[in-house]
Amino acid sequence: IKSTNKISFGTAPKGEEQGKDVRKVGEGIREIDGSTLDNYTKDLSSILMKARAVPARKPGSGEIYGWRLLEMEPGSIYERLGLQVMDVITGVNGSPVTSPQQAMEMYSALKSSSTIKIQVERGGRNENLEYRIKR
């Protein structure tokens, strides 16, 4: 589908154009304005409703090693950050994300950091996504 034909649910912050609020500046590196990030993250319940994630478990042991994104709303912060359906978020800034508590810590980090690195498993490979927040 051409990007001009995609349906938008109005999830970009007011005053921001779709596609310009998060800029890809290198392989696996994106830049986002701090005020734009604040607009996206100001309402936790809204963020949680824009995607569905389930614990990702290691075969055999059943140990949780991350959170698998099963669905995400088009235009949501998840999509804007370059995450994809079936990605497993395994870590943030080098720390594992294996519990809801750690996911909440990740959310807090988004609100105050100048750089955030998210480790994901995508298609059986580990990838690092880096976000530079301009404050």
Side-chain angles (χ1 to χ4, degrees):
I1 297 177
K2 292 182 181 178
S3 62
T4 56
N5 293 335
K6 289 183 180 177
I7 297 172
S8 171
F9 290 93
T11 55
K14 290 181 181 171
E16 295 291 333
E17 292 181 45
Q18 286 279 343
K20 295 194 177 185
D21 50 353
V22 180
R23 295 164 298 285
K24 188 172 181 177
V25 295
E27 188 60 38
I29 302 172
R30 288 178 169 73
E31 189 175 81
I32 184 168
D33 181 72
S35 62
T36 299
L37 183 63
D38 293 343
N39 281 339
Y40 271 121
T41 60
K42 65 183 172 188
D43 181 8
L44 178 60
S45 63
S46 175
I47 291 171
L48 295 174
M49 293 181 64
K50 304 237 182 262
R52 185 165 70 98
V54 296
R57 299 182 181 274
K58 291 182 181 178
S61 71
E63 178 183 350
I64 295 173
Y65 71 96
W67 294 88
R68 183 176 308 277
L69 292 169
L70 296 181
E71 298 175 28
M72 68 179 80
E73 185 175 298
S76 68
I77 185 65
Y78 304 97
E79 185 178 82
R80 308 293 321 144
L81 292 175
L83 294 168
Q84 300 174 8
V85 171
M86 298 309 289
D87 279 355
V88 177
I89 299 172
T90 59
V92 176
N93 293 340
S95 297
V97 181
T98 59
S99 71
Q101 171 75 22
Q102 289 167 323
M104 290 305 297
E105 290 169 8
M106 177 182 83
Y107 173 75
S108 295
L110 276 172
K111 297 182 79 88
S112 62
S113 295
S114 61
T115 301
I116 299 168
K117 295 179 181 179
I118 298 179
Q119 294 76 46
V120 299
E121 179 186 279
R122 179 177 288 165
R125 294 188 347 236
N126 293 322
E127 294 189 24
N128 292 305
L129 305 174
E130 181 177 329
Y131 306 94
R132 297 176 184 163
I133 292 76
K134 294 175 66 179
R135 300 234 178 239

